[in-house]
Amino acid sequence: MHTMIVLIPLLPLAGFVVTLLLGKRVLSARPEVVSLAAVTASWVLSMIVVAHVFGAHDKAIDFNLFTWVSAGSFHVQWGYLVDSLAAVMLIVVSTIGMLVHYYSIGYMRSDGGYYRFFAYLNLFMFAMFTLILANNYLLVFLGWEGVGLCSYLLISFWFHKKSASQAGKKAFLVNRIGDWGFTLGLFLIFTTFGSLQFGQVFAKVSLVSPGLVTWISLLLFVGAVGKSAQFPLHVWLPDAMEGPTPVSALIHAATMVNAGVYMIARSYPLVSHSHTAMLVVMIVGTFTAIYAACIALTQNDIKKVIAYSTISSLGFMFMALGAGAWVAAIFYLFAHGFFKGLLFLGSGSVIHSMSGEQDMRRMGGLRKKLPLTFWTMLIGALANVGMFPFAGFWAKDEILGGDFSAHYYIVWAVGIVTAFVTALFMFRLMFLTFWGENRASAEVQRHIHESPRVMTVPLVILAIPAAVLGLVVGLPPDGGWLHTFLQPVFFNVEKEHFAWAGTGGGLMALSLVVVALGISTAYVAYLRRPGLPARAAARVPWAYEASYHKFYMDEFYNAAVIRPVMGFAMWLWAFVDVRVIDGAVNGLAWLWGAFGRVLRPLQTGRAQSYAFGVFAGLFVLIILIRYFWGA
């Protein structure tokens, strides 16, 4: 079993090396073969490991391979931990990652960097597998930085397009802020506990002062805010849509953004010991959920709407973590991976059929021309908004029920409003894309067709868990298979039983009514009375403009951060570099030049002048010696 666990991340790493080195020349006919074989083999091994963990119940697999870092008292092992939490993540990451690889065959076939794209996908999988399987914080950090690097490489994959290269740099730089907090948290963990090993750290949490635990938890959460795109470090994720659509699906459904949620959940023994940290996590998640949903209402790019939906969904997960509904958060992450991957790959199918068009205002009427894409995306949309009996319903309602039963009534109310807004903007997307008349040019309409099977088969596969996953693993609420499976991770730390009231039939019914009301509002506004949104925007133009311009966060960062930093950099260049440093170097050169100019007349090239100089020097020297000797 240990060998299988080691091979899960190792195979994609090998696939990356082989594809990058041999893909362009040796494997030029089918450069994706090695990458596909590696990720498929990792999926098979992941399913075997998951089955073993399921059979072993609460027995985690924890082992070290070798000493990775050794410096004085600082020793870190390269080791892996596979428990039920890691097993759930393995299912999501390996399954969606593999499907994205196969989907990319059809989506990226004509791209000039085809082999390089698959190499980067394999590297992404290696980094994420390393992150979720690590048994210590430093190895988590290696995977953490690895997914950050891969996101930069893949978002800016079309580097010839300025918007893509800029989006990649933006993602990289914004995540550096979060990673700064995570790094400080690692330093504080080691100085406090003397180790970065999960088991050793968690065993000593009760011996450390609550204030120190709070600081550690908050610093780790700063890292999660950056990686999982929570306010105010969310601004990189919508721009990441400039990359190829398979990248968007991989980032949003299986890798990058899930890393922050996973890391906080893995740090449960730390974070749960700090009421302040829990409260901060919940407040940030709650605000991000409603904030991103309000922005999604007015966006016209089909991928950006789904991107803001992801930010909002991640906010729900942090809302649950902060409220103590740990299983509900992982349940939602589990379900979200499948239906969000489905929505992104579905949007890629739409974009592919529309000759690259992403503006929903130029779509419409596609449900008859793209039937398979339409029906699978409809399942994804219903799961995303939390409609019964789809996967999102069970997970979302457990989060809302957890907030309500923990007496966080304001948080619950915000969650209900967010559910309404989510239903409204998701079915705005569906109605504008698949209903009504097609608004594209005649040339684009002539080429509209259903995507090839290599793209549609992954949609069908993802639609199945998006539809039934909640019924399979989430029933009965608070006591389904997933709850029992995750219990050893979250509840044996303090040797207590988990006691959390169910959401209740009334809360579930209210949630369904709110979702239905959101869908109905979208139906009226975008099908029955399509002029209604424009009239509503005209009545409150400030609200529409604020939402459309993403509440001016990019403008705020430009004015408060980018311009001052650029101005400071220009001052350093113009004054410190040019005047001080260059001035000192150039002044020294001028000084020696002046000395040279003064001494240059002495070099005449005439022997009698030099003889006279020697004679004069000796004469002066004799006088000086005589004077001082005589004295």
Side-chain angles (χ1 to χ4, degrees):
M1 188 56 59
H2 289 188
T3 302
M4 290 185 180
I5 294 171
V6 171
L7 286 174
I8 289 172
L10 188 60
L11 287 173
L13 179 62
F16 159 73
V17 173
V18 173
T19 305
L20 191 65
L21 296 179
L22 306 179
K24 189 173 183 178
R25 302 185 186 278
V26 180
L27 304 172
S28 56
R30 296 296 300 273
E32 75 278 9
V33 170
V34 174
S35 296
L36 293 175
V39 76
T40 303
S42 286
W43 178 80
V44 172
L45 293 174
S46 296
M47 295 305 104
I48 295 173
V49 170
V50 169
H52 176 82
V53 174
F54 179 70
H57 301 293
D58 60 346
K59 294 180 180 178
I61 305 172
D62 190 353
F63 64 97
N64 296 317
L65 290 177
F66 55 86
T67 300
W68 177 31
V69 180
S70 182
S73 62
F74 183 64
H75 301 282
V76 180
Q77 303 292 321
W78 187 291
Y80 295 116
L81 168 65
V82 182
D83 56 8
S84 52
L85 176 59
V88 170
M89 294 299 297
L90 277 177
I91 295 172
V92 176
V93 174
S94 64
T95 304
I96 297 174
M98 180 182 66
L99 292 175
V100 167
H101 274 69
Y102 282 98
Y103 179 94
S104 299
I105 297 173
Y107 196 89
M108 300 297 293
R109 169 61 73 179
S110 59
D111 197 278
Y114 188 63
Y115 81 96
R116 187 164 43 87
F117 183 81
F118 277 91
Y120 292 162
L121 287 184
N122 262 203
L123 183 62
F124 214 154
M125 295 298 291
F126 161 74
M128 193 62 190
F129 280 137
T130 300
L131 191 155
I132 62 177
L133 293 174
N135 69 355
N136 63 79
Y137 277 108
L138 191 62
L139 194 53
V140 167
F141 189 69
L142 176 68
W144 187 274
E145 291 301 297
V147 295
L149 169 64
C150 294
S151 67
Y152 166 74
L153 294 173
L154 288 167
I155 293 169
S156 57
F157 181 77
W158 289 326
F159 55 86
H160 55 274
K161 188 169 69 170
K162 184 176 181 180
S163 58
S165 62
Q166 293 288 82
K169 287 187 285 187
K170 186 175 183 179
F172 192 81
L173 291 173
V174 171
N175 272 277
R176 298 287 67 73
I177 300 171
D179 294 354
W180 166 79
F182 192 10
T183 304
L184 292 181
L186 296 189
F187 291 158
L188 195 54
I189 288 173
F190 181 74
T191 56
T192 302
F193 298 99
S195 174
L196 293 175
Q197 203 85 6
F198 291 147
Q200 296 178 26
V201 171
F202 298 158
K204 300 176 183 177
V205 172
S206 59
L207 305 177
V208 178
S209 67
L212 200 53
V213 173
T214 296
W215 276 110
I216 292 172
S217 301
L218 291 177
L219 286 170
L220 294 179
F221 182 59
V222 171
V225 166
K227 199 67 72 183
S228 292
Q230 295 296 281
F231 182 89
L233 300 181
H234 65 284
V235 291
W236 68 270
L237 191 57
D239 287 10
M241 300 305 98
E242 294 294 334
T245 299
V247 175
S248 303
L250 195 60
I251 290 175
H252 286 250
T255 55
M256 182 88 162
V257 298
N258 288 341
V261 178
Y262 168 78
M263 188 266 291
I264 295 298
R266 174 61 73 194
S267 304
Y268 154 79
L270 274 171
V271 181
S272 62
H273 272 73
S274 171
H275 176 73
T276 301
M278 295 278 285
L279 193 61
V280 170
V281 171
M282 183 175 62
I283 290 173
V284 172
T286 303
F287 178 79
T288 302
I290 185 66
Y291 170 85
C294 290
I295 294 176
L297 273 175
T298 57
Q299 303 306 303
N300 298 312
D301 185 313
I302 186 171
K303 286 172 64 178
K304 286 194 175 181
V305 173
I306 304 174
Y308 279 106
S309 170
T310 298
I311 298 173
S312 181
S313 295
L314 291 165
F316 261 98
M317 296 176 205
F318 284 110
M319 178 197 300
L321 292 173
W326 302 90
V327 175
I330 299 303
F331 185 10
Y332 197 43
L333 184 152
F334 191 29
H336 175 267
F338 292 102
F339 65 70
K340 193 55 59 72
L342 171 59
L343 287 171
F344 267 110
L345 295 185
S347 71
S349 179
V350 170
I351 295 167
H352 180 78
S353 71
M354 293 287 293
S355 303
E357 181 59 66
Q358 296 185 198
D359 194 328
M360 296 184 299
R361 294 171 297 183
R362 298 188 181 94
M363 297 180 184
L366 296 179
R367 59 194 173 99
K368 294 181 180 179
K369 296 181 179 181
L370 310 175
L372 200 54
T373 301
F374 163 68
W375 285 109
T376 52
M377 277 197 74
L378 181 61
I379 292 173
L382 290 169
N384 192 37
V385 303
M387 177 57 71
F388 179 87
F390 298 91
F393 167 77
W394 306 100
K396 175 181 68 67
D397 273 70
E398 282 203 17
I399 292 174
L400 294 175
D403 296 331
F404 193 89
S405 61
H407 308 295
Y408 295 120
Y409 300 121
I410 295 177
V411 173
W412 170 81
V414 173
I416 286 291
V417 173
T418 304
F420 170 80
V421 178
T422 301
L424 178 56
F425 73 69
M426 276 308 305
F427 274 84
R428 171 180 177 262
L429 180 152
M430 294 298 296
F431 292 141
L432 288 178
T433 303
F434 293 104
W435 270 268
E437 297 295 325
N438 192 279
R439 299 173 291 278
S441 65
E443 178 65 22
V444 171
Q445 291 191 43
R446 279 197 296 270
H447 294 89
I448 295 176
H449 61 281
E450 184 63 274
S451 298
R453 287 186 179 180
V454 73
M455 294 173 64
T456 55
V457 169
L459 297 182
V460 175
I461 294 173
L462 287 172
I464 296 171
V468 304
L469 186 67
L471 294 170
V472 173
V473 306
L475 282 180
D478 299 338
W481 169 82
L482 190 66
H483 303 78
T484 304
F485 189 54
L486 289 173
Q487 189 171 3
V489 176
F490 294 121
F491 319 116
N492 282 354
V493 175
E494 293 297 326
K495 307 297 183 185
E496 293 177 356
H497 295 291
F498 184 45
W500 175 41
T503 56
L507 294 178
M508 283 187 170
L510 176 61
S511 176
L512 281 176
V513 168
V514 168
V515 169
L517 185 60
I519 296 174
S520 301
T521 304
Y523 173 75
V524 172
Y526 296 100
L527 287 185
R528 294 295 299 274
R529 300 172 63 186
L532 188 61
R535 291 196 296 272
R539 285 180 176 273
V540 282
W542 58 270
Y544 172 80
E545 290 295 327
S547 173
Y548 182 75
H549 292 287
K550 298 161 283 190
F551 294 102
Y552 303 100
M553 279 301 297
D554 284 327
E555 290 79 358
F556 169 77
Y557 279 128
N558 189 50
V561 179
I562 297 174
R563 286 184 182 176
V565 170
M566 291 295 291
F568 180 63
M570 291 296 293
W571 176 81
L572 287 175
W573 168 71
F575 180 75
V576 178
D577 192 9
V578 174
R579 295 190 180 183
V580 177
I581 298 175
D582 287 354
V585 174
N586 294 335
L588 188 61
W590 178 88
L591 180 63
W592 285 111
F595 278 128
R597 287 190 296 272
V598 171
L599 298 175
R600 189 181 301 145
L602 300 177
Q603 300 294 323
T604 63
R606 293 180 294 192
Q608 60 269 33
S609 298
Y610 298 154
F612 176 77
V614 171
F615 174 77
L618 288 172
F619 180 75
V620 172
L621 185 61
I622 291 169
I623 291 175
L624 290 174
I625 292 173
R626 179 66 179 170
Y627 175 80
F628 287 105
W629 183 267

